[in-house]
Amino acid sequence: MLFNLNALITLELLLPITLTFVFIAIYALLGVYAERKIAAFIQDRVGPDEVGYKGTLQTFADILKLLQKEIIVPDSADKILFWLAPILIFASVFAGFAVLPFMHSEYYVNINLALLWVMTIVSIDVIGIIMAGWASNNKYSLYGSMRAVSQMIAYEIPLGFAILGVAVIYGTLNINQIITMQSIEGYTWGLWNTKNYGGFFLWSIFQHPHLLLIFLIFFTAGIAECNRAPFDIPEAESELIAGFHIEYSGFAFATIMLAEYANMLIISLLSVIMFFGGWNSPLPNLGNFFLYHWTNGGLFWSSFWLLTKSFLLIFIMMWIRWSWPRFRADQLLQFSWKVLLPASLTLVIFSVLWKLWLHP
Amino acid sequence: MVETVLFWVLAVLSIATALAVITNRNPMYSVLLLVVNFFCIGGLYLTLNAEFIAVIQIIVYAGAIMVLFLFVVMLLNLGSEKSLEPAFDAKKGLAFLLGLAFLAEMLVAMKDFSAIGSAKETFEYGKVEKIGLQLMTQYVYPFEMISVILLVALIGALMIAKKYN
């Protein structure tokens, strides 16, 4: 049996779910604040400055405002789908966290198909976007969701191939095993024995050089899956006003935003797990300073490293968002089908060759 | 116990949604109900410990194919029912015959079927390693044939859609 009913109703299952939700909510609030401050810094502005110390309470004020706002349902909207869409969008993204660890502990579902499961989540998310766009009965939102579909379909394939490349190298789809492998293997790029140094030498991108390229593909496709700039054509503000969620207000809108930030966290957690050693410490042993052994293991260090690395990647996502202009719809699709797809396919084949012959 | 409850809930739900798909007059709802149906079938696979098939079912059907269906439905804008009628008329008989043939096929296939027993006995079959090994050894010929058929379908679609200048 996969699970038993008693576990469902006991705290053992409910507690992690609640904690994860609270964590994601707080992370999203701080993430929005960080995004605004980073955007302001990049554009040489001040950013939120009034509420709280240096504007730290700005997003809390915003969420309070959103909570008490009326959710306006357009007259000609399809009422059922309009209400279901944000729920589906958030629920599907939230389900992805079931298999994603925040620390080296037992409180996540350690299944063998974890990576595939996350791919599933990403692909279900788009149905919610279509529902939102179609049910709103607004031509801008319909355009937005149609763009979302073509984009999602295009970028899911390189994303899947990137995951496949890693799965081929480690021979597993299990997150726990992938991270463990990144603390055992010790031949940097198949050339130097770096097992005693530990730290970032053991990351998969330094163990297997082509994984660095696979990471770039994964991260690019991941940003596209999150509908973030420069791949944000489904919600392009200057063309479609807000795309698929144009008709959403109040808490329904907040849910959609929460899902977007949660999606970013999924992509960066996955990147860290597959390419940057997961919860292992990045610090290498130097002479008598066994930094790697000192800062490794345990609940604190594992969650510290995993989340720090993820937040760094999220910072890079924000940095990219405010540095590049938006792709045009046709450029975006061409980039996926003509550049990312052949590249990822080639890298998967190289992965197989590397695994079979090249790596010691 | 839980298994049985889950099975009945999912079975009833999948049949109900399948019926709703063909009786619903709004194509958008039909497609979305079909997605729910695929989820139910995925759940049924899960109760059989076939995790890989369940996940693939959701990725491929619910995630990719249904999304394309939704795309087409939105593009065609099938608002009025009347636009549907002539298209279906000629094919009704053929669809009935094909459905009958499929049913007969299922019945023949199920004639020799014996219940494998509890899910514990099938535990090994659902694993990725098992499926991969089987596909690459025992079933490599059908597997490759399917890929060729898919390729032919792809090229055919391209040829039909292509504009000749």
Side-chain angles (χ1 to χ4, degrees):
Chain A
M1 196 53 227
L2 290 166
F3 50 84
N4 67 56
L5 199 60
N6 292 329
L8 272 174
I9 40 178
T10 52
L11 279 178
E12 214 163 306
L13 202 66
L14 280 178
L15 190 69
I17 291 175
T18 322
L19 281 180
T20 309
F21 179 76
V22 170
F23 174 78
I24 292 170
I26 292 173
Y27 143 78
L29 283 177
L30 296 176
V32 172
Y33 173 72
E35 173 124 42
R36 284 185 180 173
K37 273 295 190 190
I38 290 165
F41 174 75
I42 289 172
Q43 296 171 341
D44 213 3
R45 293 186 282 115
V46 179
D49 203 26
E50 295 281 334
V51 191
Y53 176 71
K54 287 195 183 289
T56 32
L57 295 177
Q58 181 66 53
T59 43
F60 290 91
D62 284 349
I63 198 73
L64 283 179
K65 184 198 78 175
L66 281 174
L67 276 173
Q68 54 170 324
K69 258 175 120 174
E70 184 190 356
I71 300 178
I72 298 163
V73 184
D75 263 348
S76 57
D78 192 312
K79 305 280 185 304
I80 305 169
L81 294 186
F82 189 84
W83 278 107
L84 277 178
I87 299 172
L88 180 67
I89 292 176
F90 182 70
S92 64
V93 172
F94 189 58
F97 284 96
V99 298
L100 286 171
F102 290 130
M103 56 186 73
H104 193 179
S105 75
E106 322 241 300
Y107 286 109
Y108 71 102
V109 190
N110 185 13
I111 58 171
N112 281 329
L113 291 167
L115 292 181
L116 260 184
W117 173 251
V118 180
M119 271 300 291
T120 318
I121 293 316
V122 172
S123 64
I124 292 311
D125 179 50
V126 67
I127 292 178
I129 292 180
I130 298 172
M131 276 162 66
W134 185 81
S136 301
N137 210 350
N138 175 319
K139 65 182 167 196
Y140 289 115
S141 56
L142 191 64
Y143 273 130
S145 53
M146 273 160 66
R147 285 179 173 194
V149 176
S150 49
Q151 176 178 336
M152 288 278 186
I153 297 237
Y155 280 86
E156 225 165 69
I157 297 167
L159 200 76
F161 273 128
I163 290 178
L164 190 62
V166 178
V168 163
I169 290 288
Y170 289 118
T172 178
L173 291 164
N174 183 318
I175 284 173
N176 210 334
Q177 281 176 19
I178 286 176
I179 299 180
T180 312
M181 292 291 268
Q182 290 180 60
S183 64
I184 296 172
E185 290 190 325
Y187 278 96
T188 299
W189 293 353
L191 297 174
W192 307 289
N193 186 351
T194 48
K195 193 163 167 43
N196 292 330
Y197 294 104
F200 65 86
F201 289 112
L202 301 185
W203 292 357
S204 68
I205 53 165
F206 291 115
Q207 292 293 313
H208 315 280
H210 63 287
L211 283 191
L212 190 59
L213 295 174
I214 289 187
F215 163 68
L216 289 179
I217 290 172
F218 179 82
F219 199 58
T220 316
I223 294 175
E225 289 286 341
C226 299
N227 294 326
R228 283 181 66 83
F231 305 104
D232 65 339
I233 56 160
E235 44 182 282
E237 290 90 347
S238 50
E239 305 162 31
L240 301 179
I241 306 155
F244 66 91
H245 57 64
I246 183 171
E247 295 287 2
Y248 284 90
S249 59
F251 195 64
F253 173 73
T255 314
I256 291 175
M257 287 315 281
L258 189 64
E260 184 186 321
Y261 276 82
N263 213 344
M264 282 162 69
L265 188 61
I266 285 188
I267 294 294
S268 23
L269 270 175
L270 264 187
S271 304
V272 169
I273 285 162
M274 292 195 300
F275 303 103
F276 298 104
W279 51 60
N280 296 316
S281 163
L283 303 172
N285 292 329
L286 294 169
N288 284 330
F289 292 97
F290 296 106
L291 291 175
Y292 179 62
H293 293 305
W294 291 343
T295 59
N296 216 356
L299 289 186
F300 171 72
W301 283 116
S302 59
S303 67
F304 176 76
W305 289 124
L306 192 59
L307 292 178
T308 310
K309 289 176 198 170
S310 309
F311 289 152
L312 267 175
L313 283 179
I314 287 172
F315 167 70
I316 292 174
M317 279 189 190
M318 292 174 178
W319 187 4
I320 290 172
R321 172 169 179 181
W322 298 103
S323 301
W324 270 285
R326 180 179 304 126
F327 273 94
R328 232 170 43 214
D330 61 320
Q331 291 170 331
L332 183 111
L333 293 180
Q334 277 194 358
F335 180 61
S336 173
W337 291 112
K338 293 185 179 169
V339 179
L340 286 184
L341 182 61
S344 56
L345 200 56
T346 318
L347 283 168
V348 167
I349 294 169
F350 186 79
S351 261
V352 176
L353 296 178
W354 176 266
K355 170 90 175 172
L356 277 180
W357 292 305
L358 298 173
H359 194 252
Chain B
M1 171 59 200
V2 185
E3 234 168 30
T4 327
V5 172
L6 263 181
F7 169 77
W8 282 107
V9 169
L10 289 170
V12 169
L13 207 61
S14 59
I15 291 173
T17 47
L19 283 175
V21 168
I22 49 173
T23 52
N24 209 306
R25 296 200 171 257
N26 186 339
M28 196 73 184
Y29 274 71
S30 290
V31 176
L32 289 171
L33 281 164
L34 198 52
V35 172
V36 179
N37 185 32
F38 285 144
F39 265 94
C40 294
I41 293 172
L44 283 176
Y45 287 140
L46 269 185
T47 58
L48 293 170
N49 271 325
E51 298 165 16
F52 182 68
I53 303 290
V55 170
I56 289 298
Q57 163 91 11
I58 293 171
I59 291 184
V60 173
Y61 288 103
I65 293 182
M66 279 304 113
V67 169
L68 273 179
F69 270 41
L70 283 173
F71 193 55
V72 173
V73 168
M74 284 198 303
L75 273 178
L76 292 181
N77 193 19
L78 299 168
S80 61
E81 286 168 38
K82 279 185 181 149
S83 64
L84 289 173
E85 275 169 12
F88 280 166
D89 221 20
K91 291 172 190 155
K92 241 178 201 166
L94 197 61
F96 181 72
L97 282 178
L98 272 176
L100 218 60
F102 186 66
L103 185 69
E105 218 172 283
M106 292 283 277
L107 286 175
V108 169
M110 278 167 69
K111 202 177 60 157
D112 299 327
F113 176 81
S114 59
I116 305 171
S118 72
K120 271 185 192 127
E121 289 167 45
T122 60
F123 185 67
E124 282 290 305
Y125 290 104
K127 285 192 169 171
V128 190
E129 294 89 344
K130 278 274 170 175
I131 292 172
L133 210 62
Q134 290 283 306
L135 279 182
M136 282 295 140
T137 53
Q138 196 179 346
Y139 298 106
V140 68
Y141 181 66
F143 181 64
E144 293 297 333
M145 281 315 287
I146 287 172
S147 68
V148 173
I149 291 170
L150 282 176
L151 190 66
V152 170
L154 255 173
I155 296 171
L158 204 67
M159 291 304 284
I160 292 169
K162 198 179 169 189
K163 286 194 185 95
Y164 293 98
N165 294 320

